[in-house]
Amino acid sequence: AEPYDFTGTYTATCLSTDLEVLNDDLGYGYPTEFEVVISDYNESTGKYYIYTFLNENTNSINYGGIPMVASDDNSDVQVVTTDKYIKTIEAGTYMKLRDVDGGSNTINLTANEDGTLTLDDFSVVIYDFDAGEYIAAIYHNVTLTKASDAVKSISAPAKNEAKVYAAAGTIYVIGGEPTYVEVYNAAGVQVYAGIASEVSGLARGIYYVRAGQTVTPVIL
C-alpha cells in the first residue's frame, strides 16, 4: 500500500478532560480544538514540516516549520522533533513544544485506517531566558481530522532575491534590491536589524538571516 500522505490542513481535537492546564498565568487559553498545517513532502530533506500548530505560525518562528520524518519501522508513522518554538510571548519568553514530560524526546504522529491522525501526548512549555521554564499544559489523546488537502500558502521567494552568505566572520547580503535585513541567533533572538550589505561583530555560532522574503541559515 502507498504510504499515507500527511500533507494538508487538519483540525486537532481533544476532550476537555484530556487537557491539563497547569499554569496559564499568561492567559493563553489553551484550546481543545486547534489548526495544524503540514507541508508537502520535501524530497530533498525526506521530511514533512508542521507549518501551523496550536493555531500559531510555527513555520516562520522555526525558520521552516517543525520537522518530522518517517519512522524506520512504519512509513505511516511520522516522528516529530520536539523542543521547537510555537510562539513568541515577548522578547526572551517563548512557548515550546515538548514531550509529555517536558523533555525533548520525539513524539509520533500516526495515520489511522479511518484517515485520522493520532498525536502522542505532548506538553507546552513556557521558556524564559532569565526565569527558566515550566510546563504550562499537557495534551492527551489528540486526534487530527483532515479538513483539506491544501497547504495554506507560504510566501514564495521574490525574483532577484538577495543572496546571503558568511565568510571571515561577516554576513554578506548581495544582489537583488536594497532590503531590510534581520539577523537572529540560534535561540531566535534578534541581534541585528537594518538595511545593510554586511553585518559583522557577532560571536561565532549559527544565525538566521531574513532578507526580503527569504530566511538563510549561516555559520560564523
Side-chain angles (χ1 to χ4, degrees):
E2 289 290 323
Y4 183 84
D5 182 359
F6 287 82
T7 302
T9 299
Y10 296 81
T11 300
T13 57
C14 73
L15 298 175
S16 59
T17 53
D18 287 329
L19 170 60
E20 299 179 65
V21 179
L22 306 180
N23 185 327
D24 194 18
D25 288 347
L26 297 176
Y28 183 71
Y30 295 92
T32 56
E33 180 177 309
F34 55 91
E35 184 177 73
V36 176
V37 177
I38 299 175
S39 73
D40 292 318
Y41 180 72
N42 188 313
E43 295 283 353
S44 62
T45 64
K47 297 177 181 179
Y48 291 95
Y49 295 86
I50 300 175
Y51 284 164
T52 302
F53 191 79
L54 279 182
N55 301 321
E56 304 292 346
N57 183 345
T58 51
N59 177 46
S60 60
I61 195 171
N62 292 288
Y63 306 103
I66 298 173
M68 58 186 199
V69 63
S71 165
D72 291 336
D73 301 321
N74 186 345
S75 61
D76 286 341
V77 175
Q78 290 288 316
V79 180
V80 181
T81 303
T82 64
D83 201 27
K84 292 296 183 180
Y85 295 100
I86 298 173
K87 177 183 175 67
T88 301
I89 305 298
E90 58 185 27
T93 305
Y94 303 91
M95 181 182 294
K96 301 185 82 173
L97 170 66
R98 295 276 184 85
D99 66 32
V100 69
D101 296 317
S104 57
N105 293 313
T106 57
I107 57 177
N108 289 342
L109 182 64
T110 303
N112 304 311
E113 290 184 359
D114 64 359
T116 63
L117 307 180
T118 299
L119 182 62
D120 280 357
D121 296 350
F122 66 90
S123 66
V124 178
V125 166
I126 303 301
Y127 174 81
D128 187 281
F129 285 146
D130 298 320
E133 63 182 45
Y134 59 87
I135 297 177
I138 300 174
Y139 280 82
H140 303 275
N141 302 316
V142 174
T143 299
L144 281 66
T145 303
K146 184 174 284 191
S148 170
D149 289 329
V151 177
K152 287 193 173 180
S153 61
I154 303 297
S155 297
K159 292 183 178 180
N160 300 319
E161 192 67 70
K163 178 182 178 182
V164 177
Y165 69 96
T170 299
I171 297 171
Y172 294 92
V173 183
I174 61 173
E177 298 297 324
T179 188
Y180 189 76
V181 176
E182 297 172 283
V183 181
Y184 297 83
N185 65 19
V189 177
Q190 187 181 83
V191 295
Y192 177 83
I195 296 176
S197 58
E198 298 180 13
V199 179
S200 59
L202 300 177
R204 290 184 178 182
I206 299 173
Y207 293 89
Y208 297 90
V209 183
R210 185 187 302 276
Q213 296 187 41
T214 63
V215 175
T216 305
V218 297
I219 300 176
L220 294 180

